[in-house]
Amino acid sequence: MPFNEPVILGRTGLKTGRLGISSSYGAPAEAFEEAFERGCNYFVVGSFMKGRSKEMIRAIQNIIKKGERDKLVVCLMEYTHSYLIGQRHFYKGLKLLGLDFVDVLMLGYYPRKPRQQVMDLALNLKEKGEVKHLGLSGHNRKLFPTLVGGPIDIFQVRYNAANSGAEQDVFPRVGGDNRPGIISFTATRWGQLLKESKMPPGERPLTARDCYRFVLSHPAVDVCMTGARNLMMMRENLETLDAGPLSPDEMERVRRIGDHVYGKPRSRAV
């Protein structure tokens, strides 16, 4: 089945497209609006609001002007681990976005459980209705199962053909009726899975679409994050939506390449 049907993002109840869209790579507003028209409604803006975020902000405002705010899922990614700085960034971001609330506040890149002060800030914003759901992103796979049952509604987990440990350490340990939403990032392993120089002898590089299909082929993953530098790249990424899960032969090839890029022996659960 193609990936062009929306899913429910875990216990949040939010309906999202299968590809999440990052503001960080420089695509124009037109590209973000085209992605939205294709059903990709999970938009992520960094709290620092650097210049590259301006085009996504413009796209969000254009979509809202059309009366479609209720179809958007806006995520503000907060990278600072400081209560005071985080609070200032949040309200600055909310003002620049022109919103009264964001659907998701993502606490970015935590190797361990956030300090209580940071959680107090996040929970206070949620209590006031300025944040609807809380997420946490990080590389420490073993952290996520310890957060099950807590206030974090969404787990953003590193997962790709080379870094596939979430298949053992996260996905089977965070399920259940009240499961968090699962979002993956680094599907291309920062572009390494696309480089000819990283491939096994005689093997052609993967495409970004191969990488996204690999991630979305796992039933535990709700949304796979993507980034685009221009409209053409966005359209190439959106081709993923018309494809379905990898075939067994395609999966074997992608895993073989992933193992080679990983570069170390490893066992994989059957």
Side-chain angles (χ1 to χ4, degrees), residues 145 165-176 218 220:
E167 293 173 357
Q168 290 80 44
D169 296 336
V170 183
F171 300 156
R173 301 174 186 271
V174 299
H218 199 289

Side-chain angles (χ1 to χ4, degrees), residues 115-180:
R115 291 183 301 157
Q116 191 58 48
Q117 276 192 328
V118 173
M119 287 305 305
D120 288 344
L121 168 63
L123 291 169
N124 180 252
L125 294 172
K126 187 174 181 181
E127 185 176 343
K128 291 193 292 186
E130 294 168 330
V131 166
K132 299 301 182 184
H133 303 282
L134 300 178
L136 184 137
S137 176
H139 293 271
N140 180 5
R141 298 189 303 269
K142 294 183 179 179
L143 171 65
F144 293 101
T146 70
L147 302 175
V148 172
I152 304 296
D153 304 307
I154 301 167
F155 296 165
Q156 183 166 295
V157 182
R158 179 178 65 173
Y159 178 55
N160 57 62
N163 301 105
S164 59
E167 293 173 357
Q168 290 80 44
D169 296 336
V170 183
F171 300 156
R173 301 174 186 271
V174 299
D177 294 337
N178 196 38
R179 76 172 185 88

Side-chain angles (χ1 to χ4, degrees), residues 51-207:
R52 288 184 174 180
S53 295
K54 292 180 180 178
E55 290 297 297
M56 177 174 277
I57 293 170
R58 187 156 67 90
I60 288 171
Q61 293 171 346
N62 290 341
I63 291 166
I64 292 173
K65 287 176 184 176
K66 295 177 182 177
E68 297 185 292
R69 170 66 180 96
D70 61 325
K71 296 179 182 178
L72 267 175
V73 178
V74 180
C75 172
L76 188 64
M77 176 75 79
E78 176 51 61
Y79 298 102
T80 61
H81 294 189
S82 160
Y83 177 93
L84 292 175
I85 297 174
Q87 183 170 244
R88 289 199 298 270
H89 280 175
F90 175 81
Y91 283 112
K92 180 180 179 181
L94 206 61
K95 182 178 179 180
L96 288 171
L97 285 164
L99 300 177
D100 297 321
F101 69 90
V102 291
D103 302 278
V104 178
L105 174 62
M106 185 68 67
L107 304 177
Y109 305 120
Y110 277 81
R112 59 188 65 86
K113 187 176 179 180
R115 291 183 301 157
Q116 191 58 48
Q117 276 192 328
V118 173
M119 287 305 305
D120 288 344
L121 168 63
L123 291 169
N124 180 252
L125 294 172
K126 187 174 181 181
E127 185 176 343
K128 291 193 292 186
E130 294 168 330
V131 166
K132 299 301 182 184
H133 303 282
L134 300 178
L136 184 137
S137 176
H139 293 271
N140 180 5
R141 298 189 303 269
K142 294 183 179 179
L143 171 65
F144 293 101
T146 70
L147 302 175
V148 172
I152 304 296
D153 304 307
I154 301 167
F155 296 165
Q156 183 166 295
V157 182
R158 179 178 65 173
Y159 178 55
N160 57 62
N163 301 105
S164 59
E167 293 173 357
Q168 290 80 44
D169 296 336
V170 183
F171 300 156
R173 301 174 186 271
V174 299
D177 294 337
N178 196 38
R179 76 172 185 88
I182 300 293
I183 295 175
S184 78
F185 68 104
T186 68
T188 68
R189 205 190 196 222
W190 301 284
Q192 292 181 6
L193 292 167
L194 315 180
K195 293 181 178 179
E196 187 171 357
S197 62
K198 298 288 185 180
M199 294 300 104
E203 190 71 72
R204 69 186 187 280
L206 298 179
T207 65

